[in-house]
């Protein structure tokens, strides 16, 4: 390539890596040869020379969940602004899958990792493979008050409190909390918020019935609705730990001929795009998914920047939720 362009190898390298250091005439001559030869630079070779990757890994719980898709878009926005790329992977909330991906990230020596852990007791231990290779990571959608890594999350206790306080204000006293898998911190924190709302209203915690769904998806919501309908003392309202569960419940109630919200009110969580477009627009606790992803990526980029201070100070950022009230929870009358 250098020979055909009539320049040195160093000049070709400057055109590729420091184009401002080469005259416009020479740069255009080299670029013309590159185009004619169809040359594509080797990113792996460039990384070996530079000693650092341009790839950020993002490991989420469920790529089918629109919340994580929006979070990924936020991370990608921050990465592109920094000249980096995001590799998105799905653990499917499976600890074994999570461990495999973390090991792969370590082998590939990615620049850093954004991770939403699977939530079991050993999840943090599996991150040791990154620590051992000196690869920074940031918890995304996980509150982690720790000195070892940054974290970006939402106050899910406050979110659960907002959701159930709204239902109680609407007059409901027979409320079910439809949880996702109990080993996930998000499920537990939203439950804690629901209990806090009951306590504020002077109601005992046993007045809140808890059902656990095996997954955070629409099918699990439909399955849980069958249990709701089979309860001897049927609830008048259900707070679902995410919108996909809530949409599944809504589908099943419609199929069973129950009116929403007249016979059962529903509140979801996340405020994904589908929430407002449902047959009965869904009341939901809004999470800033895009902002969570963007902020987490910005923290990781700042930590891995060549000019970053050696003693990086980890940050714990917690966003506050917002309740978006729609038709699915506005019953129009008070219940005893």
């Amino acid at each position: 390539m250098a020979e055909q362009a009539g320049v040195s190898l160093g000049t070709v390298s400057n055109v590729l890596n420091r184009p401002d250091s080469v005259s416009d005439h020479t740069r255009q001559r080299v670029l013309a040869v590159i185009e004619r030869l169809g040359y594509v630079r080797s990113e792996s070779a460039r990384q070996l020379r530079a000693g650092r990757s341009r790839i950020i890994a993002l490991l989420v719980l469920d790529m089918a969940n629109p919340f994580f898709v929006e979070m990924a878009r936020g991370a990608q926005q921050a990465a592109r602004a920094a000249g980096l790329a995001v590799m998105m992977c799905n653990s499917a909330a499976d600890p074994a899958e999570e461990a495999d991906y973390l090991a792969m990230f370590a082998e590939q020596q990615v620049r850093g990792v954004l991770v939403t852990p699977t939530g079991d007791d050993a999840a943090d231990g599996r991150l040791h493979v990154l620590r051992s290779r000196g690869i920074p990571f940031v918890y995304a959608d996980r509150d982690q008050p720790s000195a070892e890594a940054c974290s970006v999350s939402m106050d899910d206790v406050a979110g659960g409190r907002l959701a159930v306080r709204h239902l109680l204000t609407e007059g409901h006293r027979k409320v079910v909390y439809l949880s996702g898998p109990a080993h996930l911190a998000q499920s537990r924190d939203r439950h804690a918020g629901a209990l806090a709302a009951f306590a504020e209203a002077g109601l005992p915690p046993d007045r809140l019935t808890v059902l656990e769904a095996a997954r955070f998806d629409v099918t699990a919501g439909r399955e849980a609705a069958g249990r709701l309908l089979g309860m001897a003392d049927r609830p008048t309202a259900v707070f679902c730990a995410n919108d996909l569960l809530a949409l599944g419940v809504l589908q099943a109630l419609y199929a069973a001929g129950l009116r929403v919200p007249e016979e059962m009110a529903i509140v979801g969580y996340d405020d994904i795009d589908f929430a407002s477009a449902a047959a009965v627009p869904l009341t939901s606790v809004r999470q800033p998914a895009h902002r969570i992803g963007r902020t987490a990526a910005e923290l990781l980029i700042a930590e891995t920047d060549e000019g970053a201070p050696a003693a990086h100070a980890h940050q714990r950022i917690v966003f506050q939720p917002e309740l978006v009230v729609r038709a699915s929870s506005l019953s129009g009358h008070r219940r005893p």
Side-chain angles (χ1 to χ4, degrees):
M1 182 191 304
E3 182 179 350
Q4 293 193 33
V7 298
S8 68
L9 289 174
T11 299
V12 173
S13 176
N14 285 337
V15 169
L16 293 172
N17 299 296
R18 295 176 295 278
D20 291 342
S21 66
V22 183
S23 70
D24 183 65
H25 175 73
T26 300
R27 185 170 62 250
Q28 295 304 322
R29 188 165 75 248
V30 172
L31 290 174
V33 172
I34 288 174
E35 183 176 358
R36 186 172 72 249
L37 295 178
Y39 168 78
V40 178
R41 78 164 75 194
S42 170
E43 178 62 17
S44 59
R46 192 203 67 80
Q47 289 180 21
L48 284 173
R49 291 192 299 272
R52 58 197 288 107
S53 172
R54 295 173 59 209
I55 302 296
I56 291 174
L58 171 62
L59 184 58
V60 300
L61 294 176
D62 183 7
M63 286 176 63
N65 188 333
F67 170 81
F68 288 113
V69 174
E70 189 63 21
M71 192 174 82
R73 288 183 63 249
Q76 183 184 42
Q77 182 184 64
R80 284 180 62 83
L84 306 174
V86 175
M87 174 174 60
M88 184 175 177
C89 298
N90 178 31
S91 72
D94 182 337
E97 290 279 339
E98 179 180 71
D100 287 346
Y101 277 120
L102 292 174
M104 182 189 72
F105 299 156
E107 290 171 3
Q108 295 296 318
Q109 283 289 298
V110 298
R111 185 187 189 96
V113 178
L114 306 174
V115 57
T116 306
T118 55
D120 69 318
D121 292 340
D124 290 336
R126 285 190 288 275
L127 290 165
H128 175 71
V129 68
L130 301 181
R131 299 186 194 97
S132 66
R133 299 290 185 93
I135 297 175
F137 58 91
V138 172
Y139 293 100
D141 191 38
R142 162 85 174 266
D143 183 21
Q144 185 70 12
S146 168
E148 71 170 357
C150 294
S151 67
V152 183
S153 64
M154 193 178 82
D155 188 341
D156 282 319
V157 175
R161 184 187 297 114
L162 281 175
V164 176
R165 180 189 291 159
H166 168 68
L167 290 173
L168 294 176
T169 299
E170 285 294 303
H172 297 280
R173 293 298 181 267
K174 298 175 184 176
V175 179
V176 163
Y177 170 54
L178 177 55
S179 168
H183 67 270
L184 294 176
Q186 294 91 332
S187 296
R188 297 194 301 271
D189 287 348
R190 292 164 198 179
H191 181 208
L195 290 174
F198 266 67
E200 289 173 357
L203 298 170
D206 59 6
R207 295 291 296 272
L208 177 69
T209 302
V210 179
L211 296 179
E212 182 180 346
R215 302 171 308 281
F216 269 124
D217 59 29
V218 173
T219 300
R222 287 197 295 263
E223 293 169 351
R227 286 182 279 163
L228 286 172
L229 294 171
M231 293 173 65
D233 189 15
R234 183 181 292 174
T236 62
V238 55
F239 164 44
C240 300
N242 85 340
D243 285 342
L244 296 181
L245 288 173
L247 291 170
V249 170
L250 179 61
Q251 289 177 7
L253 295 183
Y254 254 66
L258 266 71
R259 294 172 299 160
V260 175
E262 290 83 2
E263 294 177 88
M264 191 176 296
I266 305 175
V267 173
Y269 206 101
D270 290 341
D271 196 33
I272 61 176
D273 288 342
F274 296 125
S276 61
V280 178
L282 186 66
T283 293
S284 185
V285 177
R286 176 174 292 167
Q287 288 205 82
H290 188 277
R291 191 177 176 193
I292 289 172
R294 188 185 71 235
T295 303
E298 289 171 347
L299 289 174
L300 185 62
I301 292 165
E303 184 175 353
T304 60
D305 188 78
E306 287 182 323
H312 171 77
H314 294 308
Q315 297 184 55
R316 176 193 179 198
I317 297 177
V318 181
F319 294 117
Q320 291 303 307
E322 174 189 356
L323 182 69
V324 181
V325 178
R326 300 190 181 97
S328 71
S329 64
L330 293 175
S331 58
H333 65 279
R334 299 290 186 262
R335 289 171 168 82

